[in-house]
Amino acid sequence: MNKKAEKLFSLWWFFVLVLVGMAIVGAAFIYYSADFDVRKVESLILYNYISNCLLDAGEINRNFISDNFDIFKECNINEESIINSEIFYFKIILKKDEKPIKTLHFGNPSFDNECKISKGINPKKYPACVEKEEMVFYYSNGEKIYAKLYILTASNQGGNFIN
Amino acid sequence: MEHKSNEKKRLFFIENKKGEEIIYPKLIFIILNLIFISFLIFFVYKSSSGALVYEQAYAKQIALIIDSSKPETNITINFEEALKLAQENGIRKEDIIRKTGNEIIVSFSNKGGYKFRYFTKNKVDFDVEGNNLIIKIKN
């Protein structure tokens, strides 16, 4: 091989090596700096937490119907975490004959619409949501009344690195 | 006669410029390549076993465990990697996890860390036994 070609070849070889190196560094950086996304798991945990607190074998907590029901006290939820942090949201609707009897919602209110918009597409900046509706019952004046309990929970907690 | 031949041999090696020209650039090139590849391997290894990854993983794992557990429960998780990283950075095992309000902060160095919030009102205590972390959840 003549000298000129050899020089050109080694330069080209070094350029390829640098390119491959940059790709490996970039890939490793992107992979290891990525967040572990646990928002869906967290909103599912919040859903289960609320559901377990309000329901006992399908029967809704008697106090829930009353006006002075404090979900934070009854369900042992930290009020500050839900309201002030703006990273959680939950909405509970008790419906009878498709008409709401009681509605409760706390946390970041914009999550309500964002959950509707992001349904099925899971955009990264939007919260991860869980919503379920189930048949429940409660007693009123000794009469067993069937109703539907709708619970929506959302979390957009990414966590933070601190310095 | 012999002296002359030795002199000739010496001159041959000194003046064999063509040989030098072939060997030295290739040798330098190989050494540079080796250095470059070593740096790459070192970077990838450091990234994968870095404190940042584990700080985040442990903080999230612990917060989710707290939220999903019932009161009066003790949960044991493997804490080997955290203890190893803390030891490397001179952090006492009692200082790896901090709790401020409803936030868990996991840190394997003197500054920084990763914080993650949990939503229950349950009281939480931590204990390190051997290579395990015991999360004690109380009412």
Side-chain angles (χ1 to χ4, degrees), chain B residues 39-68:
Chain B
F39 267 115
L40 270 185
I41 292 167
F42 179 74
F43 173 79
V44 173
Y45 172 76
K46 270 296 199 192
S47 303
S48 62
S49 63
L52 295 181
V53 177
Y54 284 102
E55 277 174 354
Q56 187 183 161
Y58 277 116
K60 287 185 175 176
Q61 189 184 10
I62 292 165
L64 294 181
I65 284 172
I66 294 167
D67 280 338
S68 54

Side-chain angles (χ1 to χ4, degrees), chain B residues 22-39:
Chain B
I22 294 167
I23 289 173
Y24 281 123
K26 289 213 164 143
L27 200 69
I28 290 165
F29 189 66
I30 288 167
I31 290 168
L32 277 174
N33 278 349
L34 283 175
I35 291 169
F36 184 73
I37 289 164
S38 310
F39 267 115

Side-chain angles (χ1 to χ4, degrees), chain A residues 161-163, chain B residues 55 98 105-114:
Chain A
F161 281 106
I162 51 167
N163 293 313
Chain B
E55 277 174 354
R98 279 175 288 146
I105 300 171
V106 177
S107 175
F108 299 133
S109 58
N110 283 320
K111 55 176 185 175
Y114 194 87

Side-chain angles (χ1 to χ4, degrees), chain B residues 1-17:
Chain B
M1 191 70 174
E2 202 181 311
H3 176 75
K4 233 180 180 177
S5 131
N6 278 348
E7 184 74 9
K8 226 177 178 181
K9 238 185 207 173
R10 200 172 64 86
L11 280 172
F12 173 78
F13 280 115
I14 290 171
E15 286 168 9
N16 191 4
K17 290 263 178 200

Side-chain angles (χ1 to χ4, degrees), chain A residues 13 36 76 78 157-158 160 162, chain B residues 29 60 112 114 117 119 122:
Chain A
W13 165 237
F36 304 119
N76 210 22
N78 186 288
Q157 177 168 214
N160 297 97
I162 51 167
Chain B
F29 189 66
K60 287 185 175 176
Y114 194 87
R117 186 178 278 272
F119 59 77
N122 295 331

Side-chain angles (χ1 to χ4, degrees), chain A residues 17-27, chain B residues 36 40:
Chain A
L17 204 70
V18 168
L19 214 69
V20 170
M22 277 165 62
I24 292 171
V25 168
Chain B
F36 184 73
L40 270 185

